[in-house]
């Protein structure tokens, strides 16, 4: 069945506009191929030997396929008015001749002729007859004499639904599917005759011949009327340009006035997920039970000097350690300068004429509040508890001298370590661990953090549900701080590193910006067409 369906790809492409016709066509070959009663209407008439086969087996090269004249005519009628997308009749293709010369006999003869390009593997001689035929014993069928009963399976008229579709063919491909209640049944045919170059070539059988004969003279009158009207209109427009311009401008301004009242949806959740989707329902469940996920502000700092460097392993003088560019002290100091500006960033929020100073501490996530008032900031600098002076610490109390690199490597290996080789903790200032795969990026292979080429700083900001009464007051603080955060990073310049960043509001800001620019484009288009 799958093979047969694949072979029907070309007919399906031609006949898909009329499901009933395609169903009849497919069923014709389905009965021939798959019917359990195939022997009742198929007769083998020729077989050949395949010299290339391993066992030199014979194969069928010609058969006779008996169908009733009633079936043939109904099959033909269901497809005779079906057109291709280019406007040609499909039967002119399936018959191998023009539609005027196509008959049921020619149709079945053509589609049964051996044609490798059309997936017809051998010749099928379709015999149209309503009488039973006596089949004698042949070299190819060893049965006793029996009657052949022409195939007469169910066909679907073009104005009927089929087993492949609940809808019949359209009026364009099936005249009997056209409803008689159309208000102007001949309107389009008559208009087409008035505008066509050659009235006699138009296939409008439902228009009377007398109408066609009177069209040629009326068409000349119609053309003269159109020429005169267009000439007068053109003269009027040329003499009264201001009136014409205002007639177009005023309706355009009225139509564009609603732009000022447009409410733009900028929330990505509202834009890109259906309220009834599984993802949306699961998010609502999570938000209702655990609260919305944090607002995330993230900065990626990449040193401009991407060369690696080596140093002696403090535990093994004979071993060299290859270290990534982010561990250079000058880069860490320059990065910390920006990092400190972000931590100390503040802005003023004017809410209902009440000005309020907003800092990161007002909006950030503090898991150990009130015992620990510090924000969760995932940064390599939190291995030093955000104290840059610890970069200069050294410990030579043993035979080896340890410095900030040894401390960092200890923390990368075990972020929970309470005392590194520098005798300081790896835990962040907020009291929790800082995972290396969160604060470092672009390392050569998983777990090889010492080869990192970039730093990642992530700030977690509290988020609140949309349906809370104080949502505006609480999230407005974060929105104001994020606005200042974006402004700072957009204007920051450094000779040591490049900065890439994203704030929680960045996506919504971009959607709002593009939406507003689109509104202006729509307004300009109205003005342009008004001018035309």
């Amino acid at each position: 069945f799958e093979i047969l369906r694949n072979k029907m790809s070309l007919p399906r492409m031609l006949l898909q506009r009329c499901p009933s016709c395609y169903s009849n066509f497919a069923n014709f070959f389905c009965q021939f191929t798959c019917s359990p009663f195939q022997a009742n209407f198929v007769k083998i008439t020729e077989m050949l030997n395949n010299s290339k086969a391993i066992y030199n087996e014979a194969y069928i090269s010609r058969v006779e396929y008996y169908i009733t004249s009633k079936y043939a005519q109904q099959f033909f009628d269901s497809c005779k008015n079906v057109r291709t997308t280019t406007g040609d009749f499909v039967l002119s293709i399936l018959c191998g001749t023009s539609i005027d010369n196509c008959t049921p006999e020619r149709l079945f003869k053509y589609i049964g002729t051996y044609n490798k390009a059309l997936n017809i593997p051998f010749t099928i001689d379709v015999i149209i007859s309503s009488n039973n035929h006596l089949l004698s014993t042949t070299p190819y069928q060893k049965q006793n004499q029996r009657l052949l009963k022409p195939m007469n399976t169910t066909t679907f008229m073009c104005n009927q639904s089929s087993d492949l579709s609940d809808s019949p063919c359209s009026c364009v491909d099936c005249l009997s599917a056209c409803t008689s209640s159309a208000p102007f049944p001949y309107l389009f045919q008559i208009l087409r005759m008035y505008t066509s170059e050659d009235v006699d070539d138009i296939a409008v059988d439902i228009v009377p011949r007398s109408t066609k004969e009177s069209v040629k003279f009326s068409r000349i009158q119609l053309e003269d009327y159109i020429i005169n009207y267009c000439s007068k209109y053109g003269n009027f427009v040329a003499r009264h340009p201001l009136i014409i311009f205002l007639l177009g401008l005023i309706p355009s301004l009225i139509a564009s006035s609603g732009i000022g009242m447009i409410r733009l949806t900028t929330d990505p959740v509202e834009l890109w997920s259906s309220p009834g989707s599984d993802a949306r329902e699961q998010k609502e469940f999570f938000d209702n039970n655990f609260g919305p996920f944090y607002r995330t502000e993230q900065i990626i700092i990449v040193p401009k000097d991407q060369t690696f460097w080596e140093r002696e392993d403090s535990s093994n003088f004979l071993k060299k350690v290859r270290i990534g560019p982010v561990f250079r002290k000058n880069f860490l100091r320059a990065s910390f300068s920006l990092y400190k500006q972000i931590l100390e960033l503040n802005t003023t929020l004017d809410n209902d004429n009440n000005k309020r100073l907003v800092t990161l501490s007002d909006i950030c996530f503090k898991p150990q509040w009130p015992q620990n008032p510090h924000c969760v900031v995932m940064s390599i600098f939190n291995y030093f508890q955000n104290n840059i002076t610890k970069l200069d610490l050294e410990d030579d109390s043993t035979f080896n001298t340890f410095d900030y690199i040894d401390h960092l490597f200890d923390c990368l290996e075990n972020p929970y370590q309470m005392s590194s080789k520098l005798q300081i903790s790896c835990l962040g200032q907020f009291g929790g661990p800082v995972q290396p795969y969160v604060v470092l990026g672009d390392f050569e292979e998983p777990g090889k953090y010492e080869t990192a080429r970039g730093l990642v700083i992530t700030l977690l900001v509290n988020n609140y549900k949309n349906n809370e009464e104080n949502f505006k007051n609480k999230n407005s603080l974060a929105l104001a701080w994020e606005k200042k955060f974006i402004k700072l990073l957009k204007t920051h310049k450094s000779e040591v590193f490049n900065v890439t960043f994203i704030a929680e509001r960045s996506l919504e800001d971009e959607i709002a910006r593009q939406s507003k620019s689109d509104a202006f484009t729509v307004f300009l288009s109205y003005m342009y067409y008004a001018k035309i």
Side-chain angles (χ1 to χ4, degrees):
F1 178 76
E2 289 296 328
I3 296 175
L4 177 62
R5 187 173 66 175
N6 293 335
K7 298 296 183 182
M8 286 289 149
S9 58
L10 180 59
R12 182 167 56 249
M13 181 179 65
L14 291 173
L15 304 173
Q16 61 184 351
R17 286 165 53 111
C18 184
S20 304
C21 171
Y22 174 65
S23 178
N24 292 335
F25 186 93
N27 198 25
F28 172 79
F29 284 99
C30 185
Q31 292 292 328
F32 173 77
T33 307
C34 308
S35 173
F37 307 105
Q38 181 195 60
N40 292 341
F41 46 80
V42 176
K43 173 185 175 183
I44 301 173
T45 58
E46 183 180 270
M47 296 185 70
L48 297 176
N49 290 326
N50 186 359
S51 58
K52 296 182 180 180
I54 297 176
Y55 300 106
N56 195 24
E57 294 179 345
Y59 64 92
I60 297 172
S61 60
R62 196 179 195 99
V63 298
E64 289 181 350
Y65 184 6
Y66 290 83
I67 61 175
T68 65
S69 55
K70 177 183 176 182
Y71 172 84
Q73 189 62 47
Q74 290 178 345
F75 181 111
F76 181 83
D77 290 342
S78 69
C79 298
K80 67 180 180 181
N81 291 310
V82 180
R83 294 176 181 267
T84 64
T85 54
T86 60
D88 298 323
F89 286 98
V90 170
L91 287 190
S92 64
I93 300 173
L94 297 181
C95 270
T97 183
S98 66
I99 185 64
D100 296 330
N101 298 324
C102 185
T103 62
E105 290 77 11
R106 288 194 174 187
L107 170 64
F108 288 108
K109 181 178 180 180
Y110 188 79
I111 64 177
T113 302
Y114 166 75
N115 191 324
K116 189 175 182 180
L118 297 178
N119 297 320
I120 303 175
F122 49 80
T123 298
I124 304 171
D125 295 319
V126 180
I127 309 299
I128 301 176
S129 174
S130 296
N131 300 322
N132 295 338
H133 292 263
L134 183 65
L135 175 64
S136 303
T137 301
T138 68
Y140 314 118
Q141 291 175 308
K142 302 298 183 180
Q143 309 98 326
N144 296 325
Q145 289 188 348
R146 59 187 177 84
L147 287 177
L148 279 176
K149 298 179 181 179
M151 191 270 293
N152 188 29
T153 190
T154 303
T155 56
F156 301 96
M157 303 306 295
C158 62
N159 61 346
Q160 295 177 332
S161 59
S162 68
D163 53 354
L164 297 180
S165 174
D166 293 333
S167 302
C169 304
S170 65
C171 177
V172 176
D173 300 308
C174 177
L175 293 179
S176 58
C178 300
T179 58
S180 58
S181 59
F184 304 105
Y186 307 132
L187 176 61
F188 293 104
Q189 288 84 353
I190 293 174
L191 286 176
R192 187 180 172 197
M193 288 194 297
Y194 272 100
T195 57
S196 176
E197 291 294 331
D198 192 347
V199 176
D200 294 332
D201 289 342
I202 301 175
V204 282
D205 297 335
I206 63 174
V207 178
R209 173 59 60 179
S210 59
T211 304
K212 291 184 180 181
E213 293 173 352
S214 63
V215 160
K216 293 185 178 180
F217 177 73
S218 300
R219 182 165 162 256
I220 297 174
Q221 292 179 321
L222 177 62
E223 289 178 354
D224 291 340
Y225 173 78
I226 293 174
I227 292 172
N228 292 332
Y229 174 79
C230 292
S231 177
K232 292 178 181 179
Y233 178 74
N235 290 331
F236 178 81
V237 171
R239 289 173 180 158
H240 306 87
L242 182 60
I243 295 176
I244 298 299
F245 180 76
L246 291 176
L247 287 175
L249 178 62
I250 293 172
S252 298
L253 290 174
I254 295 173
S256 303
S257 61
I259 293 177
M261 296 179 284
I262 290 178
R263 185 184 67 85
L264 300 176
T265 301
T266 58
D267 185 355
V269 175
E270 296 290 338
L271 282 173
W272 298 328
S273 67
S274 170
S277 65
D278 290 343
R280 188 74 168 272
E281 291 178 355
Q282 291 171 9
K283 182 182 183 303
E284 290 294 330
F285 177 84
F286 183 92
D287 292 350
N288 291 332
N289 290 274
F290 306 103
F293 194 72
Y294 311 106
R295 301 176 70 88
T296 304
E297 330 297 340
Q298 197 165 67
I299 310 103
I300 300 174
I301 305 176
V302 180
K304 293 183 178 180
D305 181 5
Q306 284 287 301
T307 58
F308 283 72
W309 54 291
E310 292 184 346
R311 57 164 275 170
E312 291 181 353
D313 188 340
S314 56
S315 301
N316 186 351
F317 295 109
L318 301 177
K319 183 180 178 183
K320 294 285 186 180
V321 180
R322 185 166 175 265
I323 302 176
V326 299
F327 295 101
R328 284 191 173 89
K329 187 176 287 189
N330 66 324
F331 167 73
L332 290 174
R333 289 186 182 278
S335 301
F336 184 82
S337 176
L338 173 61
Y339 176 68
K340 185 178 180 182
Q341 291 182 58
I342 295 172
L343 295 183
E344 297 175 352
L345 187 66
N346 62 75
T347 186
T348 302
L349 175 64
D350 189 358
N351 192 2
D352 297 331
N353 297 323
N354 295 323
K355 291 187 177 181
R356 175 178 174 178
L357 186 68
V358 182
T359 65
L360 178 61
S361 181
D362 296 325
I363 60 174
C364 71
F365 174 56
K366 303 173 184 177
Q368 297 187 19
W369 173 268
Q371 290 79 11
N372 187 331
H374 297 290
C375 302
V376 172
V377 181
M378 293 296 171
S379 164
I380 193 174
F381 301 111
N382 245 326
Y383 287 137
F384 300 97
Q385 293 75 48
N386 294 332
N387 186 350
I388 196 63
T389 60
K390 293 183 179 180
L391 276 179
D392 299 322
L393 290 178
E394 291 185 353
D395 186 347
D396 55 1
S397 59
T398 61
F399 292 104
N400 299 320
T401 300
F402 301 110
D403 60 7
Y404 76 100
I405 292 292
D406 298 293
H407 170 70
L408 283 174
F409 283 6
D410 283 349
C411 295
L412 296 179
E413 184 177 352
N414 181 10
Y416 298 89
Q417 194 165 171
M418 299 299 295
S419 180
S420 68
K421 291 184 175 68
L422 284 183
Q423 308 303 317
I424 58 177
S425 173
C426 291
L427 296 180
Q429 192 179 24
F430 59 91
V434 178
Q435 299 296 341
Y437 52 80
V438 177
V439 298
L440 296 173
D442 197 17
F443 28 85
E444 291 183 341
E445 58 184 72
K448 206 168 184 179
Y449 304 116
E450 69 274 10
T451 62
R453 298 182 182 89
L455 295 182
V456 182
I457 300 172
T458 306
L459 297 87
L460 296 183
V461 175
N462 290 319
N463 200 3
Y464 300 93
K465 288 179 58 179
N466 291 342
N467 59 358
E468 291 185 5
E469 294 181 1
N470 54 2
F471 159 75
K472 183 177 180 181
N473 294 331
K474 287 189 175 182
N475 270 2
S476 61
L477 301 179
L479 289 169
W481 188 89
E482 287 170 358
K483 187 175 182 179
K484 190 68 175 290
F485 167 80
I486 292 172
K487 183 178 180 180
L488 169 67
L489 293 179
K490 276 186 175 180
T491 57
H492 187 273
K493 303 292 182 183
S494 174
E495 296 180 356
V496 181
F497 57 79
N498 296 316
V499 177
T500 305
F501 67 93
I502 186 172
E504 185 72 21
R505 65 175 292 164
S506 296
L507 185 56
E508 293 189 32
D509 287 348
E510 183 62 18
I511 293 173
R513 185 189 67 80
Q514 291 193 5
S515 299
K516 290 177 181 178
S517 64
D518 290 345
F520 182 69
T521 303
V522 172
F523 176 77
L524 289 181
S525 67
Y526 277 131
M527 297 300 100
Y528 174 76
Y529 284 113
K531 186 176 180 181
I532 292 178

